[in-house]
Amino acid sequence: MSSLRNIISAVGSKVKVLPEVARALESGRPVVALESTIVAHGMPFPQNIELAKEVSNILRERGVIPATIAVKDGIFRAGLEPDELENLAMAGEENRAIKCSTRDLPLMASISNMRRSDETVHWGATTVAATMRLAHAANISTFVTGGTGGVHRGGELSLDISTDLIELSRTPVIVVSAGVKSILDVKRTLEVLETFGVPVGAWQSDEFPAFFSPSSGVKAPSRFDDAMSVASAYISGRELGMDSGMLVAVPNRDPAGENVEKAIKEALSEAEAAGIEGRDITPFILRLVNEKTGGDSLRSNVALVKNNAKVGADIAVAVSKLQFNSETTAQSIQLPDNPRDASLSYSASTFAPGKDSDKNEVKSRVVCVGGSVIDIVAKSSANDKMIIGTSNIGKVFKSDGGVARNVSEVLGRLGDKPLLYTSVGKDDGGEGIISRLIDCGVKTSDESVVFADGVTSSYVALLDDASDLVGGVADMDANQHIPTPSAAALSGVEFVLIDSNAPSRVMIESAANAVKACASVFFEPTSVPKAKKICENDSFIKNVSYAFPNEDELFAMSNTNKSVQGQNASDEFDHVKHAAASLLGRMRSDSSAHVVVTLGPRGVLLASKVGGPEFSVEHTLFPAETISKVSSNGAGDTLCGAFIHALLNGADEKQAIRFGMKAAILSLQYEDGAISPYI
């Protein structure tokens, strides 16, 4: 995945990428480019800004970040702040916005070198062509617009052909529109696109649409029935080295189409009589048609743009998903900016065994202390809303679990050879858990695993139709026998992970012994009550360097009140930041400390202690990628294990978070267990 630095520099020194857009691109989240001509010149104020906001909301609801492309005072922009978007919306009527095609980009850039006597903002409102060029330069692969340019009527004589077609032939961006604008020659436009080798398809239709109308009388070159087929075709073209874009034409089924088409024919005649031509013809026709149809054209235009945004958002998500799947195999997830190869594979491990020791002493760089559990997950059918208080149709899955066991499996699959301290029952379940862990590369010893009388711990989880946890029941008696690693046993160990399935005494002594052995302590809470109880004990929390709570566990651990802190919050994460800072104040004081808060679909918040006793707290939010979630049961444990793996391989905490989130997606999309075997 491209680094933030590369994303920003890709379009040259004059570009300014909105931070939100840059973060999304950096993390592989879907982004959709939007043109600025439709805002400045496509319709009057305030309808234009209202539409711009509605389109942005449509994209965000589908997990996509909008990026309006424009030129502001000679600076190329990928993404605008809300106040800038409103300024652009007023600029057209105030004659502060120039329609800007590809050829105009270098000319517009020269504006930044001219000093103005006033503070008036001047805009270059980008057309389809210019938007494609800047979107591609910023690594944005999907672009939503109203309609595209083409061959003008009579173009066989005038050679009046839109630059949009040229740009489609040389810029690999998916353009989602309502087809070729109906004031153009649809048939000749498609012939030119064929000559240029541009893939063209109609969305769920065999007929190519004509902007306002779903019917043009011209057969579509191909048909796309879903977003994944568009994404697959686009990715295939890129893999073949094709530099052309792709046009997805979405029929506008607004009922006003026929009335608008009639008005367009009348407006074309009036434009010809008035001598209107070139770049001025489109805004002239659209304004005249709006007058003739009593606002039907404006309403239809708004409807088609919003419909295109829905389709474009789905396509952007599909492209992101395919690109991620092609890049996140067991051989290809790379640690960010890490000089060593740290792919998700055994061969990438930098584990180096210690000195020879007897068979009962296994040296590892990381030790995990905590529960091994048999997980039974009951998931309600995705087709039916869960009804509490009665039986629900669904599926039941049985797999190995337990936080320390899960983290150990992740580390084992990544080649880090962790040593696990745990206890299981003297039953088939316990023997099976240990055997499968060894197969995954996890180390055990006679001292680290206790086979206790009775059955292995078990946990039953109930997930709703959205795969979110509704509730659970835990039988954890076997965990009372989890052994404590001594300070001598932890000699040479870099990281010790402790989960709250272990008895309080074991957690406190394990953390103290880790600090004596100069190891950093990681704490993974397993429930709100357990997290609250152990963190009330200063002798434990003072030795913790890294904590991995979810939001509810964080408030319990920090003894802060979510509702009270959220009342006057300046942003939605202020209460989380306050709680994390409060917890950091009680964590290890003689070294850096970090709290990694998992926020579900909102992402991950990293809170880091900076400085000594009079420390400050740095907060970094990592937005979550929009994916089709199957189960959230082992995602947090995967994040933690991959985070530790990244640190072992030289990454810093921010790089480790990004790596961990990518690995967590694999477990989120795995149905048959807590941890994906594809890590």
Side-chain angles (χ1 to χ4, degrees):
M1 210 54 71
S2 298
S3 68
L4 183 61
R5 181 173 57 256
N6 290 338
I7 289 168
I8 293 177
S9 64
V11 273
S13 59
K14 290 181 179 293
V15 76
K16 182 178 180 181
V17 181
L18 194 68
E20 179 189 32
V21 175
R23 288 193 298 268
L25 292 170
E26 182 187 19
S27 62
R29 295 179 63 195
V31 176
V32 162
L34 302 168
E35 66 164 278
S36 45
T37 290
I38 195 172
V39 179
H41 301 299
M43 55 189 64
F45 185 87
Q47 288 95 329
N48 54 357
I49 185 62
E50 291 171 356
L51 176 61
K53 292 178 180 178
E54 287 184 77
V55 169
S56 292
N57 289 336
I58 288 170
L59 296 175
R60 292 185 187 279
E61 287 171 358
R62 284 165 167 75
V64 177
I65 301 300
T68 300
I69 305 298
V71 186
K72 180 184 179 183
D73 286 336
I75 306 297
F76 302 134
R77 301 294 300 275
L80 300 177
E81 297 286 1
D83 60 325
E84 292 177 315
L85 194 60
E86 187 152 356
N87 188 288
L88 171 65
M90 294 185 291
E93 295 182 357
E94 296 174 358
N95 295 317
R96 294 186 291 106
I98 301 172
K99 192 173 181 180
C100 180
S101 189
T102 307
R103 71 171 185 178
D104 304 306
L105 291 177
L107 304 177
M108 292 298 298
S110 66
I111 294 177
S112 64
N113 296 322
M114 298 186 298
R115 295 187 178 276
R116 298 182 180 277
S117 57
D118 56 30
E119 296 181 356
T120 303
V121 176
H122 292 264
W123 293 92
T126 54
T127 63
V128 169
T131 302
M132 285 183 69
R133 176 59 64 93
L134 293 179
H136 174 58
N139 283 332
I140 302 173
S141 61
T142 307
F143 162 38
V144 167
T145 183
T148 50
V151 178
H152 284 254
R153 302 192 185 201
E156 71 276 16
L157 300 176
S158 66
L159 298 182
D160 193 352
I161 301 174
S162 172
T163 310
D164 295 352
L165 306 188
I166 305 296
E167 207 62 47
L168 275 164
S169 73
R170 65 190 180 189
T171 304
V173 170
I174 301 170
V175 178
V176 181
S177 76
V180 176
K181 294 171 182 175
S182 52
I183 60 177
L184 305 175
D185 190 324
V186 175
K187 185 176 181 180
R188 284 191 170 88
T189 297
L190 291 178
E191 289 173 352
V192 170
L193 288 172
E194 179 185 4
T195 300
F196 286 160
V198 177
V200 178
W203 179 259
Q204 300 176 349
S205 176
D206 295 319
E207 186 175 0
F208 195 83
F211 195 64
F212 285 115
S213 172
S215 302
S216 66
V218 181
K219 181 177 174 60
S222 60
R223 173 185 176 121
F224 294 117
D225 285 316
D226 54 57
M228 193 57 70
S229 62
V230 178
S232 179
Y234 173 75
I235 297 296
S236 295
R238 298 297 291 137
E239 290 174 346
L240 288 171
M242 295 175 63
D243 292 327
S244 61
M246 177 181 292
L247 179 60
V248 179
V250 182
N252 173 28
R253 304 195 183 280
D254 187 84
E258 290 186 11
N259 184 34
V260 176
E261 283 299 314
K262 180 181 177 181
I264 286 174
K265 292 179 181 178
E266 296 174 358
L268 281 167
S269 298
E270 294 184 33
E272 184 178 359
I276 306 295
E277 57 185 18
R279 68 169 65 185
D280 298 322
I281 193 168
T282 297
F284 175 84
I285 293 295
L286 293 178
R287 282 195 296 269
L288 198 57
V289 169
N290 186 44
E291 295 172 5
K292 289 178 176 289
T293 59
D296 276 353
S297 66
L298 179 58
R299 286 191 293 273
S300 185
N301 199 359
V302 168
L304 71 86
V305 171
K306 292 197 290 187
N307 188 43
N308 292 349
K310 294 175 183 178
V311 175
D314 292 343
I315 291 172
V317 169
V319 170
S320 177
K321 184 175 181 180
L322 282 183
Q323 288 177 330
F324 173 75
N325 285 344
S326 68
E327 294 170 1
T328 55
T329 63
Q331 299 298 322
S332 61
I333 296 184
Q334 302 294 319
L335 290 176
D337 302 325
N338 185 18
R340 286 177 285 184
D341 182 8
S343 61
L344 292 182
S345 64
Y346 294 108
S347 61
S349 172
T350 57
F351 169 77
K355 296 180 180 180
D356 293 338
S357 57
D358 63 39
K359 64 180 181 180
N360 291 326
E361 184 181 1
V362 182
K363 291 296 182 180
S364 299
R365 297 172 68 194
V366 57
V367 167
C368 298
V369 182
S372 292
V373 180
I374 296 174
D375 280 337
I376 301 173
V377 178
K379 179 182 175 184
S380 177
S381 171
N383 298 323
D384 300 296
K385 192 73 175 177
M386 173 172 279
I387 302 174
I388 303 298
T390 188
S391 298
N392 292 265
I393 300 297
K395 292 185 177 181
V396 177
F397 307 92
K398 185 177 180 180
S399 63
D400 297 342
V403 171
R405 193 222 69 87
N406 288 348
V407 174
S408 294
E409 180 181 342
V410 173
L411 288 163
R413 290 187 180 278
L414 293 174
D416 295 312
K417 299 178 176 61
L419 173 63
L420 175 63
Y421 278 73
T422 191
S423 62
V424 294
K426 293 180 179 179
D427 56 5
D428 292 340
E431 292 179 359
I433 284 179
I434 300 304
S435 176
R436 287 185 289 274
L437 279 173
I438 293 172
D439 290 342
C440 291
V442 177
K443 298 292 185 181
T444 63
S445 71
D446 293 342
E447 286 75 26
S448 73
V449 177
V450 172
F451 286 88
D453 292 332
V455 298
T456 299
S457 296
S458 60
Y459 172 68
V460 179
L462 179 62
L463 306 183
D464 63 16
D465 49 288
S467 296
D468 289 321
L469 182 67
V470 175
V473 176
D475 177 1
M476 300 292 174
D477 287 350
N479 288 338
Q480 296 304 310
H481 302 279
I482 295 172
T484 303
S486 65
L490 295 177
S491 175
V493 171
E494 296 178 42
F495 302 129
V496 176
L497 175 126
I498 303 169
D499 80 21
S500 60
N501 281 319
S504 296
R505 173 189 56 79
V506 173
M507 287 191 281
I508 294 169
E509 292 178 1
S510 296
N513 290 340
V515 172
K516 290 178 183 177
C518 300
S520 296
V521 175
F522 286 69
F523 175 53
E524 260 270 28
T526 59
S527 70
V528 169
K530 291 180 180 179
K532 180 177 178 61
K533 179 180 178 181
I534 190 62
C535 287
E536 289 174 346
N537 193 317
D538 285 335
S539 61
F540 172 75
I541 196 64
K542 71 177 183 180
N543 288 323
V544 175
S545 295
Y546 295 86
F548 277 75
N550 61 29
E551 191 170 356
D552 291 333
E553 291 163 346
L554 171 66
F555 291 115
M557 293 166 64
S558 61
N559 197 27
T560 56
N561 189 305
K562 177 179 180 180
S563 59
V564 171
Q565 293 300 328
Q567 287 178 355
N568 300 312
S570 60
D571 69 56
E572 64 173 310
F573 299 107
D574 271 2
H575 58 293
V576 180
K577 294 175 181 177
H578 171 83
S582 177
L583 182 60
L584 282 168
R586 300 178 57 215
M587 291 169 63
R588 191 164 177 177
S589 59
D590 61 344
S591 64
S592 62
H594 309 269
V595 177
V596 179
V597 188
T598 54
L599 301 168
R602 292 177 295 162
V604 174
L605 178 73
L606 171 65
S608 300
K609 182 190 294 187
V610 180
E614 301 298 326
F615 70 91
S616 61
V617 179
E618 176 185 87
H619 299 98
T620 307
L621 178 66
F622 299 83
E625 182 175 341
T626 302
I627 63 166
S628 299
K629 181 178 65 176
V630 174
S631 173
S632 58
N633 202 30
D637 301 338
T638 303
L639 169 68
C640 180
F643 180 94
I644 294 173
H645 170 78
L647 295 185
L648 288 171
N649 283 271
D652 60 29
E653 282 75 18
K654 292 179 181 179
Q655 293 171 330
I657 290 288
R658 297 187 185 99
F659 182 76
M661 291 177 73
K662 286 296 185 185
I665 289 176
L666 298 177
S667 292
L668 281 168
Q669 296 180 322
Y670 183 64
E671 187 174 31
D672 296 330
I675 306 302
S676 170
Y678 304 112
I679 293 175

